[in-house]
């Protein structure tokens, strides 16, 4: 499925009117059925859908490993997942890593360099202006970069790819282009992630949840500046 569609549009710029071709991101509807029951609906970009499904189940605390999914079939606008019989989607083991977050430390220069790379990593945003971006950065230098029309989808896609590639998620930090609400911090808690960095702002609920659970939350990370809202001891200057 195509990621973008091209339209002829009327552009007004600097006092002139002209007809130009413009690229627009494709909007895709996907319904997730878990053990034959509707579990979630997504409005997403139509790429990396396997990673989206795995990541969503991971960040919701439904699975901890890719082997927990017995089967996954994606057909057009529907994804069907069957879990291993020992798992109960009605009673997820949501936060068994919350109280064992690693003592992860980053140099401020590491953060600035990672954000600078992130700022130039989004060709889909460059061509459409219609997506959010997310990067999961491992301490060993590996990166997973994802884009989607929804910021939560982009985050789930990154976590899903990490799960499929058997990454040690507590040894990573997250960069996102979007606002950080409370449920984004909940995804960090559920997966064992301890550092969340955004180019945008957090909400008060996100700050409060991060402070209660010792999550390092950074906002407005742009150029050589950032605001650290919680657990600043993980960022060394």
């Amino acid at each position: 499925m195509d990621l973008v569609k091209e339209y002829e549009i009327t552009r007004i710029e600097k006092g002139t009117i002209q007809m130009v071709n413009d690229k627009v991101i494709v909007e895709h509807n996907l319904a997730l059925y878990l053990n034959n029951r509707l579990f979630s609906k997504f409005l997403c970009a139509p790429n990396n859908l396997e990673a989206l499904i795995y990541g969503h189940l991971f960040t919701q605390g439904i699975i901890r490993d890719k082997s927990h999914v017995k089967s996954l079939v994606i057909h057009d606008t529907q994804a069907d997942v069957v879990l291993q019989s020992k798992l109960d989607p009605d009673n997820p083991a949501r936060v068994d890593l919350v109280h064992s977050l690693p003592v992860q430390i980053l140099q401020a220069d590491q953060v600035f360099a990672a954000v600078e790379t992130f700022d130039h990593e989004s060709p889909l945003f460059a061509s459409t202006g219609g997506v959010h971006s997310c990067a999961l950065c491992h301490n060993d230098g590996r990166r997973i970069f994802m884009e989607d029309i929804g910021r939560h989808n982009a985050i789930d896609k990154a976590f899903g790819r990490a799960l499929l590639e058997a990454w040690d998620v507590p040894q990573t930090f997250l960069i996102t282009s979007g606002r950080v609400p409370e449920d984004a911090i909940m995804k960090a808690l559920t997966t064992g992630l301890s550092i969340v960095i955004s180019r945008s702002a957090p909400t008060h609920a996100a700050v409060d949840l991060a402070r209660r659970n010792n999550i390092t939350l950074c906002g407005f990370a742009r150029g050589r500046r950032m605001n650290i809202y919680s657990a600043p001891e993980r960022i060394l200057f």
Side-chain angles (χ1 to χ4, degrees):
M1 184 180 296
D2 291 334
L3 272 177
V4 299
K5 288 191 69 174
E6 196 165 291
Y7 294 90
E8 186 179 45
I9 66 166
T10 302
R11 177 170 292 164
I12 301 175
E13 185 175 15
K14 296 180 180 179
T16 65
I17 299 175
Q18 56 183 327
M19 302 302 295
V20 299
N21 289 329
D22 191 53
K23 292 180 179 178
V24 177
I25 189 71
V26 169
E27 186 177 293
H28 182 66
N29 288 283
L30 183 68
L32 168 60
Y33 284 81
L34 190 59
N35 291 349
N36 295 316
R37 292 192 305 180
L38 181 63
F39 183 73
S40 296
K41 290 184 176 181
F42 304 94
L43 190 62
C44 58
N47 66 335
N48 296 299
L49 296 181
E50 180 187 36
L52 173 62
I53 297 303
Y54 273 90
H56 186 66
L57 294 176
F58 184 28
T59 62
Q60 294 300 306
I62 304 299
I63 64 173
R64 283 273 171 237
D65 186 87
K66 64 182 179 181
S67 66
H68 292 166
V69 173
K70 185 176 181 180
S71 66
L72 166 61
V73 177
I74 300 174
H75 180 70
D76 196 17
T77 60
Q78 183 168 321
D80 292 288
V81 169
V82 177
L83 299 175
Q84 296 293 350
S85 57
K86 63 181 179 180
L87 297 178
D88 182 2
D90 294 323
N91 295 286
R94 187 174 294 278
V95 286
D96 57 344
L97 292 176
V98 167
H99 300 295
S100 59
L101 291 175
V103 183
Q104 188 177 16
I105 302 296
L106 294 178
Q107 296 288 334
D109 283 345
Q110 286 180 267
V111 176
F112 295 142
V115 172
E116 182 178 7
T117 299
F118 179 77
D119 287 345
H120 299 90
E121 208 167 3
S122 178
L124 197 54
F125 180 82
S127 64
T128 69
V131 295
H132 285 283
S133 305
C134 174
L136 202 58
C137 307
H138 198 285
N139 290 339
D140 64 12
R142 288 178 292 166
R143 293 171 68 89
I144 293 172
F145 181 82
M146 291 290 180
E147 299 170 296
D148 198 273
I149 60 176
R151 63 184 182 275
H152 294 299
N153 294 340
I155 292 173
D156 283 348
K157 285 180 177 181
F159 277 120
R161 180 55 56 200
L163 194 73
L164 290 168
E165 295 181 5
W167 279 31
D168 184 8
V169 170
Q171 297 300 317
T172 69
F173 62 95
L174 182 76
I175 304 175
T176 176
S177 64
R179 175 176 51 84
V180 181
E182 182 181 34
D183 51 357
I185 298 300
M186 194 66 221
K187 290 178 186 291
L189 286 170
T190 303
T191 59
L193 187 88
S194 59
I195 301 176
V196 176
I197 301 163
S198 175
R199 295 193 76 260
S200 188
T203 66
H204 89 280
V207 173
D208 289 346
L209 183 61
R211 289 187 172 189
R212 288 197 304 270
N213 292 278
N214 196 32
I215 295 288
T216 298
L217 172 58
C218 305
F220 297 103
R222 303 171 186 177
R224 301 282 302 175
R225 63 155 288 190
M226 63 180 157
N227 295 344
I228 305 177
Y229 294 90
S230 57
E233 63 274 7
R234 287 198 182 92
I235 311 293
L236 301 182
F237 289 85

